[in-house]
Short mmCIF file of all heavy atoms in Angstrom, two decimals:
data_model
loop_
_atom_site.label_atom_id
_atom_site.label_comp_id
_atom_site.label_asym_id
_atom_site.label_seq_id
_atom_site.Cartn_x
_atom_site.Cartn_y
_atom_site.Cartn_z
N LEU A 779 54.94 17.32 84.90
CA LEU A 779 54.95 18.06 83.64
C LEU A 779 55.54 19.45 83.82
O LEU A 779 55.25 20.14 84.80
CB LEU A 779 53.53 18.19 83.09
CG LEU A 779 52.86 16.90 82.66
CD1 LEU A 779 51.42 17.17 82.26
CD2 LEU A 779 53.61 16.26 81.51
N VAL A 780 56.35 19.86 82.86
CA VAL A 780 56.88 21.22 82.81
C VAL A 780 56.75 21.73 81.39
O VAL A 780 56.59 20.94 80.45
CB VAL A 780 58.36 21.30 83.27
CG1 VAL A 780 58.51 20.92 84.73
CG2 VAL A 780 59.25 20.46 82.39
N CYS A 781 56.81 23.03 81.23
CA CYS A 781 56.76 23.62 79.90
C CYS A 781 57.98 23.16 79.11
O CYS A 781 59.11 23.27 79.60
CB CYS A 781 56.72 25.14 80.02
SG CYS A 781 56.76 25.97 78.42
N PRO A 782 57.80 22.68 77.90
CA PRO A 782 58.95 22.24 77.11
C PRO A 782 59.87 23.39 76.68
O PRO A 782 61.03 23.15 76.36
CB PRO A 782 58.33 21.56 75.89
CG PRO A 782 56.94 22.05 75.82
CD PRO A 782 56.54 22.44 77.20
N LEU A 783 59.36 24.61 76.70
CA LEU A 783 60.18 25.75 76.30
C LEU A 783 60.98 26.35 77.46
O LEU A 783 62.18 26.57 77.35
CB LEU A 783 59.30 26.83 75.67
CG LEU A 783 58.57 26.42 74.40
CD1 LEU A 783 57.62 27.51 73.95
CD2 LEU A 783 59.56 26.08 73.30
N SER A 784 60.30 26.59 78.59
CA SER A 784 60.97 27.26 79.71
C SER A 784 61.38 26.31 80.83
O SER A 784 62.10 26.72 81.73
CB SER A 784 60.05 28.33 80.29
OG SER A 784 58.93 27.73 80.94
N LYS A 785 60.89 25.09 80.79
CA LYS A 785 61.13 24.09 81.85
C LYS A 785 60.57 24.52 83.19
O LYS A 785 60.99 24.07 84.24
CB LYS A 785 62.63 23.77 81.99
CG LYS A 785 63.35 23.43 80.71
CD LYS A 785 62.76 22.23 80.02
CE LYS A 785 63.59 21.82 78.84
NZ LYS A 785 62.93 21.94 77.58
N LYS A 786 59.57 25.39 83.18
CA LYS A 786 58.90 25.88 84.40
C LYS A 786 57.62 25.09 84.63
O LYS A 786 57.03 24.55 83.70
CB LYS A 786 58.55 27.37 84.26
CG LYS A 786 59.74 28.27 84.01
CD LYS A 786 60.52 28.46 85.27
CE LYS A 786 61.68 29.40 84.95
NZ LYS A 786 62.48 29.71 86.07
N PRO A 787 57.14 25.04 85.88
CA PRO A 787 55.88 24.34 86.17
C PRO A 787 54.70 24.98 85.44
O PRO A 787 54.72 26.16 85.09
CB PRO A 787 55.71 24.49 87.68
CG PRO A 787 57.03 24.91 88.19
CD PRO A 787 57.76 25.58 87.07
N LEU A 788 53.67 24.18 85.25
CA LEU A 788 52.47 24.63 84.56
C LEU A 788 51.30 24.64 85.53
O LEU A 788 51.30 23.93 86.53
CB LEU A 788 52.15 23.69 83.39
CG LEU A 788 53.22 23.62 82.30
CD1 LEU A 788 52.99 22.44 81.41
CD2 LEU A 788 53.24 24.91 81.51
N ARG A 789 50.28 25.43 85.21
CA ARG A 789 49.06 25.51 86.01
C ARG A 789 47.93 24.95 85.16
O ARG A 789 47.79 25.27 83.98
CB ARG A 789 48.79 26.98 86.37
CG ARG A 789 47.47 27.19 87.11
CD ARG A 789 47.26 28.66 87.46
NE ARG A 789 47.24 29.55 86.32
CZ ARG A 789 46.16 29.77 85.55
NH1 ARG A 789 45.04 29.15 85.79
NH2 ARG A 789 46.23 30.61 84.54
N TYR A 790 47.07 24.13 85.79
CA TYR A 790 45.93 23.55 85.08
C TYR A 790 44.74 24.50 85.18
O TYR A 790 44.35 24.91 86.26
CB TYR A 790 45.57 22.19 85.68
CG TYR A 790 44.32 21.58 85.12
CD1 TYR A 790 44.17 21.37 83.76
CD2 TYR A 790 43.27 21.21 85.94
CE1 TYR A 790 43.03 20.80 83.23
CE2 TYR A 790 42.12 20.63 85.43
CZ TYR A 790 42.00 20.44 84.08
OH TYR A 790 40.86 19.88 83.57
N GLU A 791 44.16 24.85 84.04
CA GLU A 791 42.96 25.67 83.99
C GLU A 791 41.81 24.78 83.56
O GLU A 791 41.68 24.41 82.39
CB GLU A 791 43.15 26.82 83.00
CG GLU A 791 41.97 27.75 82.89
CD GLU A 791 41.63 28.41 84.22
OE1 GLU A 791 42.55 28.91 84.90
OE2 GLU A 791 40.43 28.41 84.57
N ALA A 792 40.96 24.41 84.55
CA ALA A 792 39.88 23.46 84.29
C ALA A 792 38.81 24.02 83.35
O ALA A 792 38.22 23.28 82.56
CB ALA A 792 39.24 23.02 85.60
N SER A 793 38.57 25.33 83.40
CA SER A 793 37.50 25.90 82.58
C SER A 793 37.82 25.84 81.08
O SER A 793 36.92 25.73 80.26
CB SER A 793 37.24 27.35 82.99
OG SER A 793 38.38 28.15 82.75
N THR A 794 39.09 25.90 80.72
CA THR A 794 39.47 25.84 79.30
C THR A 794 40.17 24.54 78.93
O THR A 794 40.51 24.34 77.77
CB THR A 794 40.41 27.02 78.95
OG1 THR A 794 41.57 26.94 79.78
CG2 THR A 794 39.71 28.35 79.12
N HIS A 795 40.40 23.66 79.90
CA HIS A 795 41.12 22.39 79.69
C HIS A 795 42.48 22.66 79.04
O HIS A 795 42.81 22.11 78.00
CB HIS A 795 40.31 21.41 78.84
CG HIS A 795 39.00 21.06 79.45
ND1 HIS A 795 38.88 20.29 80.58
CD2 HIS A 795 37.74 21.41 79.11
CE1 HIS A 795 37.61 20.16 80.89
NE2 HIS A 795 36.90 20.84 80.02
N GLU A 796 43.26 23.51 79.70
CA GLU A 796 44.59 23.86 79.20
C GLU A 796 45.59 23.87 80.33
O GLU A 796 45.23 24.05 81.50
CB GLU A 796 44.57 25.25 78.55
CG GLU A 796 43.71 25.34 77.31
CD GLU A 796 43.63 26.75 76.77
OE1 GLU A 796 43.53 27.71 77.57
OE2 GLU A 796 43.66 26.90 75.53
N LEU A 797 46.86 23.68 79.97
CA LEU A 797 47.96 23.86 80.90
C LEU A 797 48.59 25.21 80.59
O LEU A 797 48.96 25.48 79.44
CB LEU A 797 48.99 22.73 80.75
CG LEU A 797 48.48 21.34 81.11
CD1 LEU A 797 49.57 20.31 80.89
CD2 LEU A 797 48.00 21.29 82.55
N ILE A 798 48.69 26.06 81.60
CA ILE A 798 49.09 27.44 81.41
C ILE A 798 50.52 27.65 81.91
O ILE A 798 50.87 27.24 83.02
CB ILE A 798 48.15 28.40 82.18
CG1 ILE A 798 46.68 28.10 81.87
CG2 ILE A 798 48.52 29.85 81.94
CD1 ILE A 798 46.26 28.40 80.48
N ASN A 799 51.31 28.34 81.10
CA ASN A 799 52.62 28.84 81.52
C ASN A 799 52.45 30.35 81.63
O ASN A 799 52.42 31.07 80.62
CB ASN A 799 53.69 28.49 80.49
CG ASN A 799 55.06 29.00 80.89
OD1 ASN A 799 55.21 30.04 81.51
ND2 ASN A 799 56.08 28.26 80.50
N GLU A 800 52.33 30.84 82.87
CA GLU A 800 52.09 32.26 83.11
C GLU A 800 53.27 33.11 82.66
O GLU A 800 53.11 34.21 82.14
CB GLU A 800 51.82 32.51 84.60
CG GLU A 800 50.55 31.87 85.11
CD GLU A 800 49.30 32.58 84.61
OE1 GLU A 800 49.36 33.69 84.08
OE2 GLU A 800 48.22 31.96 84.76
N GLU A 801 54.48 32.60 82.86
CA GLU A 801 55.69 33.36 82.54
C GLU A 801 55.78 33.69 81.05
O GLU A 801 56.07 34.82 80.67
CB GLU A 801 56.93 32.56 82.98
CG GLU A 801 58.23 33.28 82.76
CD GLU A 801 59.40 32.43 83.23
OE1 GLU A 801 59.48 32.17 84.45
OE2 GLU A 801 60.21 32.03 82.37
N LEU A 802 55.52 32.70 80.20
CA LEU A 802 55.59 32.92 78.75
C LEU A 802 54.27 33.35 78.16
O LEU A 802 54.22 33.79 77.01
CB LEU A 802 56.08 31.65 78.05
CG LEU A 802 57.49 31.17 78.36
CD1 LEU A 802 57.81 29.90 77.61
CD2 LEU A 802 58.51 32.26 78.04
N GLY A 803 53.18 33.17 78.91
CA GLY A 803 51.87 33.56 78.41
C GLY A 803 51.34 32.63 77.34
O GLY A 803 50.76 33.08 76.36
N ILE A 804 51.54 31.34 77.53
CA ILE A 804 51.06 30.37 76.56
C ILE A 804 50.21 29.30 77.26
O ILE A 804 50.37 29.05 78.45
CB ILE A 804 52.20 29.70 75.75
CG1 ILE A 804 53.21 29.04 76.68
CG2 ILE A 804 52.86 30.69 74.84
CD1 ILE A 804 54.32 28.32 75.94
N ALA A 805 49.30 28.71 76.50
CA ALA A 805 48.40 27.67 77.01
C ALA A 805 48.48 26.45 76.10
O ALA A 805 48.31 26.56 74.89
CB ALA A 805 46.98 28.19 77.08
N TYR A 806 48.76 25.29 76.71
CA TYR A 806 48.82 24.04 75.97
C TYR A 806 47.46 23.35 76.09
O TYR A 806 46.95 23.18 77.19
CB TYR A 806 49.91 23.12 76.54
CG TYR A 806 51.30 23.67 76.37
CD1 TYR A 806 51.94 24.34 77.41
CD2 TYR A 806 51.98 23.53 75.17
CE1 TYR A 806 53.22 24.84 77.26
CE2 TYR A 806 53.26 24.03 75.01
CZ TYR A 806 53.87 24.69 76.06
OH TYR A 806 55.13 25.20 75.90
N PRO A 807 46.86 22.90 74.98
CA PRO A 807 45.54 22.26 75.05
C PRO A 807 45.63 20.85 75.63
O PRO A 807 46.66 20.18 75.52
CB PRO A 807 45.10 22.21 73.59
CG PRO A 807 46.38 22.16 72.82
CD PRO A 807 47.36 22.99 73.60
N ILE A 808 44.55 20.43 76.27
CA ILE A 808 44.42 19.06 76.75
C ILE A 808 43.30 18.43 75.92
O ILE A 808 42.17 18.89 75.94
CB ILE A 808 44.08 19.02 78.24
CG1 ILE A 808 45.22 19.66 79.03
CG2 ILE A 808 43.83 17.59 78.70
CD1 ILE A 808 44.94 19.82 80.50
N ILE A 809 43.65 17.37 75.19
CA ILE A 809 42.70 16.71 74.30
C ILE A 809 42.48 15.29 74.79
O ILE A 809 43.43 14.51 74.88
CB ILE A 809 43.23 16.72 72.85
CG1 ILE A 809 43.48 18.16 72.42
CG2 ILE A 809 42.26 16.02 71.92
CD1 ILE A 809 44.31 18.31 71.19
N ASP A 810 41.24 14.96 75.11
CA ASP A 810 40.89 13.64 75.63
C ASP A 810 41.74 13.26 76.84
O ASP A 810 42.18 12.12 76.98
CB ASP A 810 41.02 12.56 74.55
CG ASP A 810 39.96 12.69 73.48
OD1 ASP A 810 38.87 13.20 73.80
OD2 ASP A 810 40.22 12.28 72.34
N GLY A 811 42.02 14.23 77.70
CA GLY A 811 42.78 13.97 78.91
C GLY A 811 44.28 13.92 78.72
O GLY A 811 45.03 13.71 79.67
N ILE A 812 44.75 14.15 77.50
CA ILE A 812 46.18 14.08 77.19
C ILE A 812 46.69 15.47 76.84
O ILE A 812 46.22 16.08 75.89
CB ILE A 812 46.45 13.12 76.02
CG1 ILE A 812 45.90 11.73 76.36
CG2 ILE A 812 47.93 13.07 75.69
CD1 ILE A 812 45.87 10.78 75.20
N PRO A 813 47.65 15.99 77.62
CA PRO A 813 48.20 17.31 77.30
C PRO A 813 48.99 17.28 75.99
O PRO A 813 49.81 16.40 75.78
CB PRO A 813 49.14 17.63 78.47
CG PRO A 813 48.85 16.61 79.51
CD PRO A 813 48.21 15.44 78.84
N ASN A 814 48.72 18.24 75.12
CA ASN A 814 49.47 18.39 73.88
C ASN A 814 50.57 19.41 74.15
O ASN A 814 50.34 20.60 74.11
CB ASN A 814 48.55 18.86 72.75
CG ASN A 814 49.25 18.92 71.42
OD1 ASN A 814 50.48 18.85 71.35
ND2 ASN A 814 48.49 19.06 70.36
N MET A 815 51.76 18.91 74.44
CA MET A 815 52.86 19.76 74.86
C MET A 815 53.75 20.21 73.69
O MET A 815 54.87 20.65 73.90
CB MET A 815 53.71 19.01 75.90
CG MET A 815 52.93 18.53 77.11
SD MET A 815 52.26 19.86 78.09
CE MET A 815 53.74 20.49 78.81
N ILE A 816 53.26 20.13 72.50
CA ILE A 816 54.00 20.60 71.33
C ILE A 816 53.89 22.12 71.29
O ILE A 816 52.78 22.66 71.25
CB ILE A 816 53.46 19.96 70.04
CG1 ILE A 816 53.60 18.45 70.13
CG2 ILE A 816 54.17 20.52 68.81
CD1 ILE A 816 52.91 17.70 69.01
N PRO A 817 55.00 22.85 71.31
CA PRO A 817 54.94 24.31 71.34
C PRO A 817 54.10 24.92 70.21
O PRO A 817 53.41 25.91 70.43
CB PRO A 817 56.40 24.74 71.24
CG PRO A 817 57.15 23.59 71.85
CD PRO A 817 56.38 22.36 71.44
#
């Protein structure tokens, strides 16, 4: 998985169940184990 906007790797944050793009400062939610990668 990569960020759909920057194409950079993402970091998983277990406490918030999100995929984080540090460079852009955005977090993608994970719902029922499925990342929602819609910007």
Side-chain angles (χ1 to χ4, degrees):
L779 294 175
V780 295
C781 176
L783 298 174
S784 68
K785 309 301 187 244
K786 301 284 182 178
L788 298 165
R789 175 179 60 82
Y790 174 56
E791 181 60 47
S793 63
T794 59
H795 301 290
E796 295 175 320
L797 296 178
I798 309 293
N799 180 327
E800 295 287 347
E801 183 179 295
L802 296 179
I804 56 178
Y806 295 98
I808 298 173
I809 303 165
D810 290 332
I812 302 169
N814 185 346
M815 304 295 289
I816 300 171

